[in-house]
Amino acid sequence: MPRLNKKVAETPTPTAQWRWQTQFCEHVARLALSPDGSLVAVATLAGEVAVVATADGRRVRDLPRHGFGALDVAWSSDGAVLATAGQDGIVRLIDAGSGAVLGEHRASGWASRLAWSKDGTRLAAAIGKDTLLIHRDGTEIGRFGQMAHTVSDVVWSTDDRKLGVLTYGGVRWFGSGTPKPTPDRVFAWKGAPLRAAMSPTGKFLVHGNQDNSVHVWRMSSAEEMEMSGYPAKVEVLSWDRTGEWLAVGTIGFTTVWDCSGKGPSGRRAVVCNGPDRRVTALSWQQRGHALIVGSADGTVSWYLPTKAKAAANLQPLGGVDVGSEVSDLAFLSDDRLFVVGCSDGTFGVVATDLPSAR
Amino acid sequence: MIENEFGEIGIDDALVIDAEAEIFEMNNGCICCTVRGDLIRILGNLMRRRDKFDHILVETTGLADPAPVAQTFFVDDEISAQLRLDAIVTMVDAKHIVQHLDDEKAEGTENEAVEQIAFADRIIINKTDLVTTEELDNVVKRVRAINGAVDITYATNAKVDLDSILNVGAFDLSRVLEQEPQFLDDTEHQHDVTVTSVGIEIEGTFNADKLNEWLSTLLRTKGVDIFRSKGILSIAGNDKRFVFQGVHMLLDGEHDRPWGPDERRVNRAVFIGRNLDRAALDRGLRECLV
């Protein structure tokens, strides 16, 4: 009987062998690796923000808490400044070396998303319906016009000259100099975009949406493409470093779109089959082409999508059980180890069986 | 909007949203996919916390459209996987409700008071000390004319037993049908109302396929006008009661407890909405019997 075959095929995912593991008292909301990979900053829903050494899990620094919960954390590209945001409506810039607070800014609503310009000079922060532009020295440059709806994400153009502000109704594309109230361009889209990601090549701006779709804008022509029919709202998107692959996590699987050349239009995605539950986090290798997928069922699986596998269903190359719903993860620079944070506060570094990049 | 005034876990002030509702309509234009973005954000965040909740009370303003609030619990996959809409409770001001029900509304706009009563699974008529018995009777009549299926509780100073508004089980129709058996007849309403309710009681068992087909067609074609639907049905070949509740075109159903060995398999269904055709609903449902 097919049922029997399935049972035989189902081998339990092995328990993760932790390189080190630590415990926070609440759900890990976000983690961010420092540019050199030596440190990882963690934000939890209890409001804690901590900096931990990736080598051994040593707690290097505790940063000021965010009342009601920390939601995001982000390093400037040189690793010198760390930004934190939380439900208290506050965004803080912190000198990563000394721990000194360089600046603190607030607006009405939750401070939910942070994005540094690529050159590391400016931080964009979404707080409720406001978007703040903050200099790395901690001073506020200005605010973009208040939106009619809550800002769900902020995204920089690859040349840092533009800043996209996502709200219900589309993406407003502002000049990133001194904030002006009106956008240079509006990518109008009827619906609620949740998360945006700019391709590293600058060719495509994509957003995952409440209505179970992914919308793609070709930046040169504003041509639109849409990938619909996902079984759930789309909040987990990740570009690989080349900008050729876009991974989109959903319930039960991850689609990987080939965006090289003329783009994903007319192509079929590589489907990475995963556990039945929601995909909660994705990370690409820093040098290689493997993708790790974290799931609400507490497993992390890895895949190697290739063009030859387009339209195929990929099974994971390997996987481990980290014990609790994955909330965020990232490959370390050796492309073999990854750091993972979970919904029960479990946090640490785990090895894959992928070959090391070194 | 979500506020915790009792209980030991102090929930953040940050959860009280003072801003106006964020209503998200979808690209497909379907009104049933309209959800509350603010609610998704807050509930999503609450459910991530390690402190788990027994119940969450969401308080809306008196002007809120109940549909997007209710639909959020069906449409958003993350919320629907973790939370169940137990009941919609509407508090009615006994002194002023009649005046609001009689408000003339501009063409194309809804009377919020009528809508909030129509959507309710339970109604608390408050400030009963401020009205005479006759006035109160009139309020009850007006409420029943819109929503015959609703369970009514009376209060002064909004004092109600929490048990009467928590764990209601919106589909639990047995109690109200005991209280208001005439609801099943097409009673003559005192006022000419377009928003009303239809209750149907039939003995027998249903063919699951036929019922599914009829219900989905009904809600697909008439779902804009059917605000709420709910019922307890006996399905051929299944020992358990099938209970369902819906908001507009969205329906959530499951098999709950088994029918008792001596229990009469009485099917009960309720539809609340605009311009309902009782005869057609009754006939349609009967045709799904085995």
Side-chain angles (χ1 to χ4, degrees):
Chain A
M1 295 293 287
R3 190 187 167 85
L4 190 66
N5 288 340
K6 192 168 181 214
K7 282 221 160 150
V8 172
E10 265 176 21
T11 47
T13 310
T15 305
Q17 299 294 308
W18 296 85
R19 288 303 165 98
W20 55 263
Q21 192 204 72
T22 183
Q23 189 71 36
F24 288 94
C25 65
E26 249 299 358
H27 187 112
V28 171
R30 293 270 283 176
L31 60 83
L33 278 177
S34 63
D36 68 0
S38 64
L39 301 171
V40 57
V42 193
T44 79
L45 288 186
E48 283 171 291
V49 188
V51 178
V52 175
T54 50
D56 54 11
R58 184 172 44 91
R59 197 123 156 188
V60 174
R61 198 183 291 288
D62 285 326
L63 301 180
R65 299 171 66 90
H66 283 278
F68 316 130
L71 296 177
D72 203 1
V73 61
W75 299 84
S76 61
S77 55
D78 62 357
V81 186
L82 189 58
T84 70
Q87 275 176 246
D88 50 7
I90 293 174
V91 170
R92 257 185 220 110
L93 276 77
I94 289 156
D95 182 308
S98 68
V101 175
L102 302 171
E104 192 175 285
H105 305 276
R106 73 172 69 215
S108 173
W110 293 358
S112 56
R113 298 291 285 180
L114 300 169
W116 282 96
S117 59
K118 210 171 239 163
D119 66 8
T121 59
R122 289 160 298 159
L123 174 78
I127 311 181
K129 294 174 182 175
D130 283 292
T131 306
L132 280 61
L133 192 63
I134 303 165
H135 192 271
R136 63 179 277 135
D137 66 10
T139 56
E140 185 175 315
I141 301 166
R143 298 180 183 209
F144 295 90
Q146 202 186 53
M147 303 294 152
H149 296 274
T150 299
V151 178
S152 52
D153 206 354
V154 281
V155 59
W156 290 85
S157 65
T158 42
D159 63 3
D160 285 345
R161 289 168 64 185
K162 304 283 182 192
L163 183 72
V165 176
L166 251 77
T167 70
Y168 175 63
V171 185
R172 279 162 185 76
W173 202 238
F174 291 93
S176 70
T178 306
K180 294 191 187 106
T182 47
D184 293 352
R185 198 167 155 187
V186 178
F187 297 95
W189 184 78
K190 190 182 182 320
L194 304 172
R195 284 285 176 271
M198 190 78 204
S199 74
T201 56
K203 268 161 69 175
F204 301 107
L205 170 65
V206 301
H207 49 82
N209 307 311
Q210 178 74 38
D211 71 354
N212 305 357
S213 70
V214 176
H215 203 78
V216 182
W217 301 90
R218 188 188 297 277
M219 299 307 285
S220 59
S221 62
E223 176 200 349
E224 298 176 52
M225 290 158 268
E226 185 147 304
M227 299 134 177
S228 57
Y230 283 95
K233 61 182 168 184
V234 179
E235 291 185 290
V236 186
L237 300 167
S238 181
W239 286 99
D240 82 326
R241 69 188 155 78
T242 65
E244 294 196 349
W245 293 109
L246 170 68
V248 179
T250 184
I251 293 176
F253 60 93
T254 301
T255 53
V256 181
W257 296 92
D258 176 2
C259 298
S260 61
K262 63 182 175 58
S265 183
R267 291 178 178 158
R268 294 182 67 184
V270 179
V271 177
C272 302
N273 284 322
D276 294 339
R277 302 279 305 278
R278 170 185 296 277
V279 171
T280 51
L282 296 170
S283 175
W284 290 93
Q285 281 182 323
Q286 297 189 20
R287 273 173 283 248
H289 300 283
L291 173 73
I292 42 173
V293 176
S295 163
D297 78 345
T299 61
V300 176
S301 315
W302 39 96
Y303 302 83
L304 192 61
T306 63
K307 289 184 190 187
K309 298 281 186 190
N313 282 358
L314 280 190
Q315 296 304 321
L317 296 174
V320 289
D321 187 340
V322 294
S324 162
E325 175 177 336
V326 173
S327 45
D328 203 359
L329 49 72
F331 262 116
L332 297 187
S333 51
D334 75 344
D335 274 356
R336 199 170 170 266
L337 302 171
F338 64 89
V339 58
V340 59
C342 300
S343 64
D344 68 350
T346 302
F347 185 77
V349 165
V350 176
T352 65
D353 55 9
L354 292 162
S356 171
R358 287 196 176 128
Chain B
M1 195 184 70
I2 297 184
E3 199 167 358
N4 181 34
E5 292 175 354
F6 43 85
E8 286 166 25
I9 319 157
I11 300 178
D12 343 335
D13 296 340
L15 294 176
V16 184
I17 296 278
D18 51 3
E20 68 271 37
E22 280 197 81
I23 299 193
F24 288 174
E25 290 172 17
M26 295 302 130
N27 213 358
N28 60 16
C30 170
I31 63 146
C32 301
C33 296
T34 303
V35 293
R36 286 278 296 259
D38 45 357
L39 198 54
I40 293 172
R41 217 161 24 242
I42 294 168
L43 290 176
N45 209 292
L46 277 182
M47 300 314 290
R48 281 186 192 109
R49 289 172 188 255
R50 293 185 71 184
D51 289 325
K52 295 303 175 200
F53 297 89
D54 299 322
H55 303 280
I56 298 174
L57 283 170
V58 179
E59 183 182 354
T60 71
T61 71
L63 292 175
D65 177 356
V69 177
Q71 284 164 187
T72 299
F73 292 88
F74 295 79
V75 173
D76 185 275
D77 48 275
E78 201 180 0
I79 303 297
S80 68
Q82 298 178 85
L83 296 169
R84 180 175 60 86
L85 178 64
D86 177 48
I88 299 171
V89 180
T90 299
M91 186 174 286
V92 166
D93 179 330
K95 185 80 181 165
H96 299 104
I97 186 64
V98 172
Q99 168 193 336
H100 287 300
L101 292 177
D102 291 337
D103 271 352
E104 294 282 340
K105 291 281 168 179
E107 184 78 16
T109 58
E110 298 294 340
N111 181 318
E112 295 91 356
V114 172
E115 270 202 324
Q116 295 204 357
I117 288 172
F119 269 86
D121 298 297
R122 190 146 296 189
I123 281 179
I124 300 162
I125 299 184
N126 190 36
K127 302 191 186 174
T128 52
D129 53 331
L130 301 184
V131 291
T132 64
T133 316
E134 293 75 36
E135 284 171 319
L136 188 60
D137 285 349
N138 185 40
V139 169
V140 173
K141 265 185 203 143
R142 294 294 301 272
V143 167
R144 288 252 178 258
I146 297 165
N147 187 342
V150 78
D151 188 59
I152 298 179
T153 302
Y154 300 90
T156 54
N157 299 318
K159 274 190 192 147
V160 287
D161 192 355
L162 268 186
D163 290 343
S164 70
I165 55 167
L166 297 179
N167 255 338
V168 170
F171 46 77
D172 191 0
L173 300 171
S174 43
R175 194 172 139 191
V176 66
L177 292 174
E178 278 159 26
Q179 283 180 358
E180 297 289 330
Q182 75 276 19
F183 165 58
L184 297 166
D185 309 323
D186 202 0
T187 49
E188 275 186 36
H189 301 309
Q190 291 218 325
H191 290 261
D192 181 28
V193 284
T194 56
V195 176
T196 183
S197 53
V198 169
I200 301 169
E201 193 175 290
I202 314 173
E203 278 200 54
T205 52
F206 286 99
N207 174 305
D209 292 339
K210 277 192 202 169
L211 180 72
N212 207 1
E213 173 65 26
W214 178 75
L215 254 183
S216 54
T217 307
L218 175 76
L219 296 181
R220 198 170 59 240
T221 54
K222 300 274 190 334
V224 172
D225 283 338
I226 298 175
F227 298 171
R228 299 293 308 273
S229 54
K230 40 192 159 175
I232 303 171
L233 305 176
S234 166
I235 307 292
N238 199 308
D239 292 337
K240 290 180 176 169
R241 308 190 314 171
F242 179 72
V243 296
F244 71 93
Q245 64 146 326
V247 177
H248 285 307
M249 295 173 206
L250 307 165
L251 198 73
D252 190 14
E254 60 179 14
H255 287 281
D256 74 338
R257 68 165 174 82
W259 292 95
D262 302 320
E263 192 175 1
R264 276 172 59 221
R265 294 205 177 191
V266 180
N267 302 283
R268 296 183 170 115
V270 171
F271 300 93
I272 307 163
R274 203 185 288 120
N275 307 319
L276 299 181
D277 182 343
R278 171 181 285 271
L281 289 169
D282 191 83
R283 192 174 54 245
L285 194 58
R286 277 177 199 280
E287 282 170 3
C288 303
L289 287 169
V290 172

